[in-house]
Amino acid sequence: MIACGGSALWQQRADVVVIGTGVAGLVAALAAQRRGLRVVVLSKARETATFYAQGGIAVVLPDGDDSVEAHVADTLLAGGGLCDAGAVRSIVADGYRAVRDLVAAGARFDETAAGHWALTREGGHTRRRIIHAGGDATGAEVQRRLDFAAANLDIRRDHVALRILHDGAAVTGVLLRNTDGAGMIHAPSVILATGGLGHLYRATTNPDGATGDGTALALWAGTAVSDVEFIQFHPTMLFDGNHGGRRPLITEALRGEGAVLVDSQGNSLTEGVHPMGDLAPRDVVAAAIHARLTETGDPCVYLDARHIADFGERFPTVAASCAAAGINPTRQRIPVVPGAHYSCGGVVTDVHGRTELPGLFAAGEVARTGMHGANRLASNSLLEGLVVGGRAGAAAAEHVAQAGTVRANAPERLEHEVVDRGALQRAMSMHASVVRDAVGLHDLADILGSARTVEPRTRKRFEDASLTVTARAVAAAAQARTECRGCHHRGDHPETDPALGHSLTVRSDTGRILVETPTAVC
């Protein structure tokens, strides 16, 4: 139990607390620090999803045949009618400026000639607009350069944020735990940049820390989340016989360079399914793979990239992952399956990261800006993190000036409900994966209802609590969306329902998850 304001709690002050050290978190923290503020960055884990991003950054260059409107159109089409067109345009139009800022910080992208970035194409894009670094190591380059730029930031490792503190009207700080025990940081602005929720499932491309913490913290603070039923399963996660934990991603850029998806008999998986074939949006390709595996009973399908020249130089990360699994992609087809990859929804924000709770901001994968709608267009994630992360840091700084000094009060007790992680992951993988139905979602709800109450004294206990409440939110939204749209596929409702062309808002009310009446997307 946690005493309120007593000696059991260590206490500190800051102007802005940023939770997360991926692209959105560090860009936000740097933006706030440049305004002369005391910024504290909390990091519970060493790895970030940013580091593992392979494909690149989708950005419209000013001197090519691309356009902001073309990029917006591709994004809206992929989003299944649930994108906020104004938000998409705002973020896409600011992309080149954000990338130039990253280059000014030292980032280097692959070039075809001096001063000319190499461009590739990925699923759902009608243009080559993906810039990349190190072939397929774009995220690693972005993370390295931001880590270097953030050398003077106050980054606290092994700190777990347990609760967003507020007085009912605005944020007052963060309750957290580190090796010294529980403590509080009094702060008027808090930025959630915690990443995704891939570890709701047995196998994911996400690092170990992706346990839905930001979604959970927002729900516990009474803040709305939206579009959480739309979880993107990347079509090509390496299948090497292991079924749990983080699995290597096989970048979509391989298909952009001509690799093809086939089943065990060499038959195309997407022919006749979508006019863009293997470069169809990810939800289409993942669903096609799921259908074929269900039909054949095979454990995986295959990506045939044997004809791609200079494979090891162009795709060194994929080559290394394949080698570790005993696969030679220049001579063998790569075995792949869909894997939990990206949360298209999250904490409801505007394009500056502001939530409905004054002083609480969110950026990156944890946020729902309206950019992705029902399905994320490939390589729009690093773009959004760069743009909205910087804006959120600036907006948080503005709020500090308005709010002044605040004092936080800790709850008398901190208890959460948890479901055994293994049972939760098995249930989510079985009933809320690429394809869902009412019977499975009902069984899932029963399993999630078997939670027991614990006090989160360790990182694992806290993560189990985060996974439990986030899984409940996903399941509730998936039950309410009785249609197929974007990356949400209902086997018992195979059509898109125009009456559900709205985002679903989810809240937590005294432990209950409530799905609110849909409202139209602006």
Side-chain angles (χ1 to χ4, degrees), residues 176-234:
L176 64 156
R177 182 177 291 278
N178 63 10
T179 54
D180 295 325
M184 284 192 300
I185 299 180
H186 305 268
S189 288
V190 175
I191 303 173
L192 297 173
T194 53
L197 40 71
H199 285 270
L200 287 176
Y201 299 89
R202 292 182 65 193
T204 175
T205 63
N206 294 179
D208 288 344
T211 52
D213 299 358
T215 298
L217 289 168
L219 287 168
W220 291 326
T223 305
V225 302
S226 185
D227 291 339
V228 291
E229 68 271 34
F230 300 110
I231 297 172
Q232 187 179 87
F233 289 82
H234 198 288

Side-chain angles (χ1 to χ4, degrees), residues 89 103 105 171 184 186 217 267 303 309 327 362 365 435 450 494 498 518:
R89 188 167 290 104
V103 169
V171 164
M184 284 192 300
H186 305 268
L217 289 168
N267 301 310
L303 187 65
I327 299 162
E365 187 174 352
V435 178
S450 66

Side-chain angles (χ1 to χ4, degrees), residues 459-517:
R459 169 181 160 178
K460 183 180 184 302
R461 281 291 189 217
F462 170 76
E463 289 180 338
D464 289 345
S466 294
L467 288 168
T468 298
V469 71
T470 302
R472 286 175 171 171
V474 171
Q479 283 181 307
R481 187 165 292 283
T482 52
E483 64 163 355
C484 286
R485 184 185 295 271
C487 53
H488 171 75
H489 291 260
R490 285 284 297 259
D492 51 348
H493 294 280
E495 304 298 327
T496 299
D497 184 354
L500 285 170
H502 308 85
S503 292
L504 299 176
T505 298
V506 181
R507 296 181 186 275
S508 177
D509 181 16
T510 62
R512 296 181 303 146
I513 294 295
L514 304 176
V515 179
E516 297 184 348
T517 302

